[in-house]
Amino acid sequence: MGNPEQQTPTAGASPAGEVEQFDAIVIGAGVTGLYSLYRLHELGLSVRAFEDGGGVGGTWYWNRYPGCRFDSESYTYGYSFSEELLQEWDWKEYYSGQPENERYLNYVADKFDLRRHIRFNSRVVSAVFDEEDDRWQVNLQDGHRASAQFLITSVGILSAGYIPDFEGIDSFQGPWCHTGRWPKDGMDLAGKRVGVIGTGATGVQLITEIAKEVSHLTVFQRTANYCAPLRNGPIDDEAQRKIKASYPEIFKMCNESAGSFMHKFDPRSAMDVSPEERLEQYERLWKEPGFKKWLSNFYDVMMPGEANEDYAKFVREKIRQRVNDPVVAEMLVPKDHMFGSKRLPCESGYYEVFNQDNVLLVDVRQAPIERITPRGIKTSDAEYELDVIIFATGYDAVTGALNKIEIRGQGGQTLKEKFAGGPRTYMGISSAGFPNLFTINAASVGNFVRAAEPLVEWVSECIRYVRENEFTRISATPEAEDAWVKHVNEDGAKILRTQANSWFVGANIPGKARVLLTSPDTAPVMRAKRAEVAANGYEGFLLE
Ligand code: NAP
């Protein structure tokens, strides 16, 4: 197996000034990038992936922070396209950690011989559509240039890290980093006074883990979250055998569920059963691992309304029960947003961290951070002395990673300008005026690999169709795009994910337009819509 530490940018090395020619270029070698490479090669295309990192894995390459792990079941997260791969790979834990996840993606890259088609340490800075020859001209930071008919942006949904524009960051005398760029050699936190800003899914995992080794931990929390026990554990041999024998059923369940998880809602409304029966179900599911607590619960627990608030009360009580100091407990209890309207973190001892004498919770909504000082963090109330600062402050989701690349389509317009008011696409995949560009990272929803695999297959099939029918261009029609944007805005407004200020709607980034960044549809509905579009000769697309 290749060592991710030792990747070089040698793949595709070409003499200075030469523009490498491919049928397709994939930006990113994470989960979707690797699979795109695999599928397009299967079709017989020449493909090159350009990857900013020194190894494969994307999210699982960059997020090396302590505690980083899946919170969907490991065996629902692997690729399903190869039975051999499924049978060969042993997931060691029910919710596997970052090192194993990175190993898995390296294993996939080696097994399918994908590595030789990837140029590592290769940051794409611009991609310009050449209207004369219908090809994308791709420019890298190191001066390397390449050209291809098709361009696929497998750049991730949550990959452009966000650090708030605090004054004085560079004046801080100790080390600091964003969780999404955790140093490969790790950070020495043992015995240090550490400050963590942010309590989203990342902060919750990180805080729980580092609280075991730091001398003092200060957690800067702006919004309390609803978190629930992950209940991870090792997968023993017997369970491993069962999992391997059950993959068809596991994937069938995932395919049938709204978010591609292996959980099925109870078709009953929480409000149609007695309070006793309701509580019995809440308690029973609470003892279960992972997302089952809400995704196998009464269906309306995950919809705005009475059932949602009833379940929120139950979870708030669970939080209170675990924190010794009632004042700290109240700080940790979310009261300003609906249960499930933000991504729900799973945890493994998070609340107990706040019972430790060396942990301090600071409410930065009540006393906002004013600046970073040479010695630590200054809020409107006090200055906190720190040796290390960690920003678990999230991501400029979906469009952030696209905007870092200057993508110029027809007439010289940039995707960034076009997306200034929110993504303007058809089904997240294609944008009018940007022919042969597949914004695959803007189209995925739910349990990531389960959602990404069919999407990659759809895009590959679409490319095959274009080539076989000797078209040179494909892009969304302006009409299909307008209708899709209207659907996202109108139907998106009704779902739980748009009810709070989070990355789902771009509300975590100051100045970013507040729109749903993903599809409002469930995964089965999205797959059906895409299938229908393809069956109708790529309806809604302009083929030239
Ligand atoms: P996030 O959910 O956006 O959380 C960012 C945190 O930083 C929030 O607590 C936010 O507070 C805080 N923050 C941002 N700006 C701040 C400021 N100026 N002052 C104080 N606090 C500030 O980001 P994340 O935790 O990295 O998670 C992002 C997504 O990644 C998750 O929702 C999930 O989809 C994914 N993820 C998945 C896993 C997994 O699968 N196991 C693990 C980690 C992450 P507010 O809430 O007040 O904005």
Side-chain angles (χ1 to χ4, degrees):
M1 185 186 302
N3 178 353
E5 309 289 323
Q6 291 171 346
Q7 303 305 318
T8 63
T10 49
S14 61
E18 191 182 307
V19 180
E20 283 193 292
Q21 305 291 327
F22 302 102
D23 294 323
I25 289 174
V26 175
I27 310 180
V31 164
T32 50
L34 285 177
Y35 190 43
S36 299
L37 260 186
Y38 172 81
R39 291 300 294 202
L40 294 173
H41 268 284
E42 290 281 288
L43 287 179
L45 272 68
S46 64
V47 195
R48 169 74 75 239
F50 293 119
E51 167 56 55
D52 192 15
V56 301
T59 288
W60 301 107
Y61 172 86
W62 294 110
N63 281 269
R64 295 167 187 277
Y65 63 84
C68 180
R69 65 175 61 251
F70 291 153
D71 47 21
S72 41
E73 291 75 10
S74 309
Y75 43 91
T76 69
Y77 199 94
Y79 294 110
S80 69
F81 68 87
S82 161
E83 181 59 25
E84 205 177 274
L85 173 65
L86 287 169
Q87 295 306 322
E88 276 171 13
W89 183 261
D90 288 349
W91 291 107
K92 295 188 180 56
E93 290 177 282
Y94 282 92
Y95 301 91
S96 147
Q98 178 274 333
E100 191 185 354
N101 307 343
E102 188 188 11
R103 265 196 302 279
Y104 171 72
L105 291 166
N106 273 278
Y107 184 84
V108 171
D110 288 328
K111 179 173 174 62
F112 299 100
D113 198 17
L114 301 176
R115 209 177 286 282
R116 67 197 167 95
H117 306 296
I118 308 169
R119 191 178 190 270
F120 292 99
N121 303 309
S122 296
R123 173 148 206 85
V124 173
V125 288
S126 66
V128 180
F129 186 68
D130 185 333
E131 297 188 49
E132 295 284 302
D133 63 2
D134 297 321
R135 289 174 73 81
W136 284 95
Q137 308 298 334
V138 173
N139 303 303
L140 275 68
Q141 197 164 39
D142 62 8
H144 188 85
R145 292 187 301 151
S147 157
Q149 185 182 3
F150 301 100
L151 181 64
I152 297 171
T153 56
S154 300
V155 291
I157 291 180
L158 295 153
S159 54
Y162 164 65
I163 297 182
D165 192 13
F166 294 129
E167 231 180 276
I169 292 185
D170 291 327
S171 73
F172 182 61
Q173 284 172 354
W176 60 269
C177 80
H178 184 275
T179 48
R181 282 291 184 275
W182 197 265
K184 262 191 183 166
D185 298 333
M187 287 192 98
D188 181 15
L189 303 179
K192 301 269 167 59
R193 297 168 303 173
V194 178
V196 176
I197 307 173
T199 54
T202 302
V204 165
Q205 289 184 330
L206 170 90
I207 288 162
T208 311
E209 201 53 36
I210 66 172
K212 296 169 188 165
E213 59 167 335
V214 301
S215 73
H216 190 273
L217 182 62
T218 311
V219 175
F220 297 87
Q221 172 189 273
R222 189 166 65 182
T223 310
N225 259 319
Y226 298 92
C227 311
L230 179 64
R231 307 196 195 285
N232 188 23
I235 297 177
D236 64 23
D237 292 347
E238 178 55 24
Q240 192 74 255
R241 270 193 294 280
K242 273 195 191 145
I243 289 167
K244 287 189 180 178
S246 320
Y247 272 124
E249 295 89 76
I250 291 170
F251 293 139
K252 183 169 180 290
M253 272 184 86
C254 291
N255 280 344
E256 287 168 357
S257 91
S260 306
F261 295 98
M262 55 174 297
H263 309 298
K264 211 179 190 168
F265 282 117
D266 181 338
R268 296 174 301 166
S269 161
M271 299 340 258
D272 282 351
V273 302
S274 69
E276 295 73 28
E277 195 176 342
R278 202 153 64 219
L279 186 61
E280 183 281 322
Q281 172 141 314
Y282 292 170
E283 289 288 1
R284 181 168 40 77
L285 289 173
W286 195 256
K287 297 189 183 82
E288 298 274 352
F291 292 160
K292 199 166 182 176
K293 294 167 204 64
W294 44 89
L295 296 184
S296 292
N297 220 320
F298 303 105
Y299 76 91
D300 48 356
V301 154
M302 289 301 273
M303 291 168 72
E306 205 183 346
N308 177 274
E309 176 51 22
D310 190 66
Y311 193 64
K313 276 189 197 143
F314 170 82
V315 179
R316 290 186 198 118
E317 213 34 55
K318 288 287 179 201
I319 297 170
R320 288 187 181 103
Q321 286 164 10
R322 290 170 60 185
V323 183
N324 298 340
D325 181 333
V327 176
V328 177
E330 279 320 301
M331 285 167 75
L332 289 164
V333 169
K335 300 176 187 96
D336 66 348
H337 62 280
M338 292 180 205
F339 177 84
S341 59
K342 291 187 169 204
R343 163 66 149 71
L344 295 153
C346 286
E347 49 79 35
S348 307
Y350 177 64
Y351 291 108
E352 285 72 17
V353 163
F354 297 93
N355 296 333
Q356 289 181 209
D357 291 338
N358 61 340
V359 176
L360 176 68
L361 181 63
V362 175
D363 179 351
V364 295
R365 188 172 298 285
Q366 185 256 320
I369 295 173
E370 284 184 342
R371 58 175 292 123
I372 310 290
T373 70
R375 294 187 308 172
I377 294 177
K378 163 101 180 59
T379 69
S380 58
D381 265 2
E383 182 173 359
Y384 299 87
E385 285 196 21
L386 303 164
D387 301 315
V388 181
I389 300 176
I390 302 170
F391 293 89
T393 40
Y395 295 88
D396 184 353
V398 183
T399 49
L402 288 172
N403 288 346
K404 282 166 112 182
I405 306 168
E406 185 188 324
I407 300 176
R408 275 190 193 277
Q410 287 170 293
Q413 67 174 327
T414 66
L415 202 67
K416 187 175 177 177
E417 286 156 7
K418 185 171 175 189
F419 283 10
R424 291 199 57 81
T425 69
Y426 180 34
M427 301 191 299
I429 296 173
S430 175
S431 192
F434 292 83
N436 302 345
L437 171 71
F438 295 95
T439 49
I440 212 161
N441 68 307
S444 197
V445 263
N447 195 5
F448 197 73
V449 184
R450 295 281 62 73
E453 237 179 5
L455 188 57
V456 168
E457 286 158 11
W458 189 92
V459 168
S460 317
E461 207 34 45
C462 175
I463 289 177
R464 188 191 62 74
Y465 180 87
V466 172
R467 283 166 60 90
E468 278 185 9
N469 290 283
E470 296 181 4
F471 293 112
T472 55
R473 293 182 184 185
I474 182 167
S475 61
T477 64
E479 296 75 30
E481 182 178 294
D482 285 347
W484 179 256
V485 172
K486 189 166 178 278
H487 165 61
V488 170
N489 292 339
E490 289 180 2
D491 292 323
K494 298 172 200 155
I495 64 173
L496 203 50
R497 261 179 291 147
T498 56
Q499 308 304 312
N501 290 328
S502 77
W503 67 263
F504 288 140
V505 290
N508 61 326
I509 305 295
K512 189 168 177 175
R514 193 185 197 289
V515 288
L516 179 61
L517 293 165
T518 55
S519 165
D521 299 318
T522 64
V525 168
M526 271 316 299
R527 282 198 308 275
K529 280 188 180 175
R530 288 196 300 257
E532 197 184 333
V533 164
N536 292 336
Y538 294 90
E539 198 176 16
F541 285 85
L542 186 65
L543 286 148
E544 295 174 78

